[in-house]
Amino acid sequence: MHTERSVRRAVRQNALGLFFGGVFLAALVGQSFAGWAVFDDTQAAQGLDPIGWVEYVTSSSFAADVAENWQSEYLQFLLYIWATVWFVQRGSPESKEQDQTGLESDEDQEVGTHAGPRSPRWAAVGGVRQVVFSHSLLLVMGGVFLASWAAQSAAGVVSYDEQQLLDLEAPVTWAQYVGSADFWNRTLQNWQSEFLAVGSMAVLSVFLRERGSPESKPVGAPHDDTGAEG
């Protein structure tokens, strides 16, 4: 009984992460089956044999499609995290107050001598560890973006060269592919949609509400109330 209560409490306390983890896996599996069907249709149109699902999900084509979306998502959050340090949007709950732009004081950030008894250990120490921890979210987001971008380009050139050979054309190098219109067309169509979405969120939340959401201001908050959460 105690174990059951502990499990329920753990699920309740981590429900947001579990929810998005679940829908992520569901969408990824759905993408794999839909992509497999499209891939086999293309194979059939070209007079080639279809492949199995396992072969498809381990292919460069699937890897390139997945990594392409991941890198654009992490770039979105990388830029958003950095931009909200220095820029404000009057009336948005996604923004700090205008007089709080920048890295803020040690007192505001509860670091060094201002750290509390429950503060993370690296927040209380000085030197490199505090600097790294102070920017750890940006560093991890940037690292995942670069890794997924590298994976996209590596898998993408393999997939691209496979198609080149089928079309009886010469394959290209990684550098040629990264500089190609095909690569940047696939990349920029994802970037522009991510930038539009996050920019819209920052601006629309000035005037619109979602009751009970921390991404929204309280329903009755004035439109020009900046940084308030519902």
Side-chain angles (χ1 to χ4, degrees):
M1 184 66 70
H2 176 71
T3 301
E4 184 179 342
R5 286 200 300 269
S6 297
V7 171
R8 285 202 301 266
R9 183 169 60 252
V11 170
R12 186 169 59 251
Q13 292 174 344
N14 297 282
L16 188 60
L18 291 171
F19 170 75
F20 277 104
V23 295
F24 160 71
L25 290 176
L28 185 63
V29 171
Q31 178 192 352
S32 72
F33 280 101
W36 176 38
V38 171
F39 187 88
D40 275 355
D41 285 344
T42 303
Q43 290 284 95
Q46 295 175 337
L48 301 173
D49 294 332
I51 64 173
W53 178 80
V54 173
E55 187 177 355
Y56 173 70
V57 296
T58 56
S59 69
S60 58
S61 178
F62 181 69
D65 287 343
V66 171
E68 178 183 321
N69 286 294
W70 288 10
Q71 61 89 4
S72 64
E73 294 290 346
Y74 278 93
L75 175 63
Q76 171 196 162
F77 283 108
L78 171 69
L79 291 180
Y80 193 59
I81 293 165
W82 176 84
T84 52
V85 174
W86 303 101
F87 303 118
V88 298
Q89 179 65 48
R90 185 171 182 262
S92 175
E94 304 293 318
S95 170
K96 299 190 293 185
E97 294 285 358
Q98 191 165 351
D99 60 357
Q100 295 177 332
T101 57
L103 300 179
E104 302 179 9
S105 67
D106 287 355
E107 182 178 3
D108 290 334
Q109 288 293 309
E110 300 179 29
V111 298
T113 58
H114 301 284
R118 298 181 66 247
S119 296
R121 186 164 58 88
W122 280 26
V125 301
V128 174
R129 286 182 295 174
Q130 187 186 106
V131 172
V132 170
F133 187 67
S134 296
H135 302 284
S136 54
L137 182 59
L138 198 68
L139 290 171
V140 170
M141 289 290 183
V144 176
F145 161 67
L146 291 175
S148 54
W149 185 88
Q152 175 203 349
S153 64
V157 70
V158 174
S159 179
Y160 183 83
D161 280 349
E162 288 173 351
Q163 188 59 49
Q164 287 287 96
L165 293 173
L166 289 174
D167 295 336
L168 302 180
E169 296 183 14
V172 300
T173 65
W174 176 83
Q176 289 173 320
Y177 176 67
V178 170
S180 70
D182 180 82
F183 176 79
W184 285 106
N185 176 55
R186 291 169 62 93
T187 299
L188 292 172
Q189 67 178 313
N190 283 292
W191 287 8
Q192 55 87 11
S193 63
E194 302 298 345
F195 298 155
L196 174 64
V198 74
S200 298
M201 177 66 181
V203 175
L204 291 176
S205 60
V206 175
F207 306 103
L208 307 178
R209 310 285 191 270
E210 182 55 45
R211 184 169 181 165
S213 173
E215 302 303 314
S216 168
K217 293 184 291 189
V219 176
H223 288 324
D224 61 356
D225 192 358
T226 306
E229 295 181 349

